[in-house]
Amino acid sequence: MTKYIDTKITDKETEHSLPVLDGTMGPSAVDIQTLYTNEDMLAFDPGFRSTASCKSAITYVDGDEGVLLYRGYPIEELAEKSTFEEVAYLLMYGELPSETEYAQFTDTLGDLSLLHDQVLSFYRGFRRDAHPMAIMVGVVGALSAFYHDRMDMSDPEQRELAAYRLVGKMPMIAAASHTYHIGRPIRYPRKVLGYAENFVQMMFGKPHVEYEIDPILVRALDRILILHADHEQNASTSTVRLTASSGANPFACMAAGIASLWGPAHGGANEAVLDMLTDIGRVENIPDAVARAKDKKDPFRLMGFGHRVYKNFDPRATVIQQSAKEVLNHLGLDDPLLEIAMRLEEIALEDEYFIERKLYPNVDFYSGIVLRAMGVPTNMFTAIFALARTVGWVSHWLELTAEPHGIDRPRQLYVGPTLRHYPK
Ligand code: CMC
């Protein structure tokens, strides 16, 4: 039965019913699409704290309970039992693949994993000290100039091909952003290797020695990729959807998503966490950092703490905390930054300021520690987040383009000058 919510706008003495839409889980949504037409009124929600921008069947997040489901499957189960390729298939197609589907999927991704040779010349146009995310925004955007041959987005097959190209090529794009930066030759993917294996061999491999893949580290990276693969309508995914709503080229849409992800309030936080832990430097300095984070006159925030949606705990943080311990044990590393991180977490979680505001460590708090232990330089952390999130962006892009609802065009509450005339 359709429910309605009554709106009464008193100065106009009008009353109008708005339908309430129910999802399969989570809060219902008031459908305000007719508000402007019927009441000449807009809804005001800067930051989209109470706005569902679309319907989506991909990912479910319950921030109060700390729940994250990909197509209904809990993130903890996928992180433990699945692989990134399988999760990618699940997100893109809605179901776990059969053995044959899985084989075909990974085979096609492998076939499309190489970059056009001409794309490599774009890398050489960047300064060597360019940030890998800056290179990725540029290179992924540049791919739109390479694949305009089959770009009829009303054709599902062409959409699928664009999706495979994006997911398939991203490991080489990300790894090459690093090797170019450090002056090492760009390496090619090998079809016999898995997604995470390929990324590590392209990122760390050297031309003159055989690269030995460490399965424990590959598994840890695979888990990081799974945990970061999607997170419903976050800033970068919403950016991809908004860009795609105009019918823009899919590679350009993904470049927009990468740009949005780069910010320190979003994907850039994992890099910012490491910078912050390094600045704190010693366990004794933690109380000062916590005091600064609480001081409203100081812009400093504890990076890796807080989340717009999770107000209990971030389930991804629980999984990755375990991974951090496993990787450090395996490598026999005693990272002083991990000690600072653990202590900071304890102190912050006991502090009234953080308790009241429900600020818990998020996924980025620990992913930085794992990546650092694996030898990944700090400036590649967000690039690895982008590598993983490409699957989420692509899944949302496929969902949107399969059922386009026209261009996204938010309105505004105008607070500028009223009409005035140009002085003579
Ligand atoms: N350190 C100190 N105070 C904080 C922090 C923090 N990390 N995060 C929020 N607060 C305070 C904030 O000052 C405000 O206090 P008051 O009510 O007294 O004004 C209150 O908590 C609510 O903050 P908000 O900015 O309204 O919360 P938000 O939902 O808009 O922000 C956030 C979410 C993630 C941007 C924010 O918590 C933050 O900046 N965290 C640090 C950056 C970070 O770790 N980002 C990664 C997010 S997870 C990865 C991803 O999904 O992209």
Side-chain angles (χ1 to χ4, degrees):
M1 190 188 70
T2 311
K3 287 179 275 178
Y4 291 89
I5 190 164
D6 287 339
T7 57
K8 194 167 185 187
I9 297 155
T10 47
D11 64 340
K12 287 174 70 188
E13 291 183 3
T14 55
E15 207 162 333
H16 178 63
S17 291
L18 294 170
V20 176
L21 308 177
D22 292 325
T24 47
M25 293 173 84
S28 304
V30 183
D31 181 350
I32 57 163
Q33 290 181 89
T34 56
L35 193 62
Y36 181 60
T37 325
N38 293 338
E39 306 287 1
D40 194 23
M41 195 162 267
L42 300 170
F44 181 64
D45 184 21
F48 307 118
R49 286 169 195 266
S50 296
T51 296
S53 62
C54 60
K55 286 183 185 171
S56 179
I58 301 173
T59 291
Y60 175 75
V61 178
D62 180 337
D64 294 326
E65 297 299 323
V67 171
L68 169 58
L69 311 177
Y70 290 167
R71 301 283 190 182
Y73 294 101
I75 192 65
E76 296 85 348
E77 290 177 24
L78 293 170
E80 192 195 330
K81 298 178 184 160
S82 189
T83 63
F84 180 66
E85 290 95 317
E86 191 179 47
V87 166
Y89 185 98
L90 172 70
L91 287 170
M92 285 166 69
Y93 292 104
E95 295 297 334
L96 289 167
S98 65
E99 252 177 61
T100 320
E101 286 164 337
Y102 185 78
Q104 277 168 357
F105 182 68
T106 49
D107 191 58
T108 314
L109 286 184
D111 283 342
L112 295 171
S113 61
L114 268 183
L115 285 176
H116 188 295
D117 203 46
Q118 193 63 23
V119 174
L120 302 187
S121 63
F122 278 88
Y123 283 87
R124 288 188 272 281
F126 287 100
R127 283 169 55 132
R128 287 277 178 194
D129 61 357
H131 193 284
M133 284 296 278
I135 299 180
M136 282 180 75
V137 173
V139 171
V140 174
L143 288 184
S144 55
F146 284 79
Y147 302 111
H148 39 75
D149 54 327
R150 301 196 61 208
M151 278 295 151
D152 174 4
M153 289 303 115
S154 62
D155 176 353
E157 268 183 38
Q158 296 194 32
R159 292 202 298 268
E160 194 177 39
L161 177 62
Y164 273 81
R165 277 176 169 157
L166 274 157
V167 176
K169 292 179 198 317
M170 204 52 89
M172 186 171 176
I173 293 172
S177 306
H178 168 67
T179 45
Y180 175 76
H181 178 74
I182 59 165
R184 196 183 284 160
I186 288 172
R187 284 169 69 98
Y188 294 97
R190 293 180 50 215
K191 228 187 129 179
V192 286
L193 298 177
Y195 204 83
E197 283 175 323
N198 249 321
F199 176 71
V200 292
Q201 71 84 8
M202 286 189 281
M203 165 127 184
F204 294 117
K206 297 175 186 156
H208 59 306
V209 280
E210 194 64 34
Y211 180 73
E212 260 186 56
I213 291 174
D214 180 333
I216 294 193
L217 297 191
V218 165
R219 181 68 194 129
L221 177 66
D222 204 63
R223 209 173 263 176
I224 287 181
L225 297 181
I226 292 173
L227 296 178
H228 286 85
D230 193 43
H231 211 236
E232 54 119 299
Q233 310 309 320
N234 51 80
S236 57
T237 304
S238 300
T239 301
V240 169
R241 289 187 86 121
L242 195 123
T243 312
S245 76
S246 74
N249 178 288
F251 298 94
C253 294
M254 299 306 140
I258 296 172
S260 167
L261 184 75
W262 194 4
H266 191 7
N270 51 15
E271 185 173 339
V273 168
L274 253 280
D275 292 343
M276 176 191 75
L277 295 175
T278 311
D279 285 348
I280 293 175
R282 291 148 53 105
V283 170
E284 301 82 78
N285 297 337
I286 293 176
D288 276 355
V290 172
R292 280 190 64 198
K294 288 160 44 178
D295 181 357
K296 292 291 155 204
K297 288 185 217 109
D298 191 328
F300 175 77
R301 281 186 167 199
L302 281 193
M303 286 293 131
F305 276 78
H307 197 276
R308 171 59 65 81
V309 182
Y310 293 121
K311 301 297 177 196
N312 184 337
F313 67 94
D314 181 341
R316 302 167 302 172
T318 315
V319 175
I320 198 103
Q321 187 188 24
Q322 190 51 37
S323 255
K325 286 181 190 152
E326 277 167 26
V327 167
L328 290 165
N329 281 345
H330 168 66
L331 294 174
L333 289 179
D334 194 8
D335 190 338
L337 290 195
L338 185 68
E339 198 198 337
I340 298 174
M342 298 287 197
R343 200 63 201 112
L344 180 62
E345 184 190 12
E346 271 171 32
I347 292 175
L349 289 182
E350 283 164 6
D351 193 298
E352 246 345 276
Y353 174 95
F354 290 87
I355 296 169
E356 260 172 30
R357 290 169 182 75
K358 300 184 172 172
L359 300 170
Y360 297 87
N362 57 49
V363 65
D364 290 321
F365 190 67
Y366 286 104
S367 63
I369 303 279
V370 180
L371 293 172
R372 176 183 153 96
M374 290 172 68
V376 175
T378 315
N379 67 5
M380 275 300 287
F381 290 3
T382 317
I384 290 175
F385 193 158
L387 170 65
R389 189 54 61 85
T390 299
V391 162
W393 296 330
V394 159
S395 306
H396 284 269
W397 178 81
L398 286 169
E399 184 174 63
L400 178 100
T401 49
E403 279 185 48
H405 58 237
I407 190 163
D408 287 343
R409 173 52 168 96
R411 303 297 301 268
Q412 62 173 12
L413 181 65
Y414 177 69
V415 293
T418 53
L419 177 68
R420 51 184 167 166
H421 293 286
Y422 187 76
K424 275 197 177 169

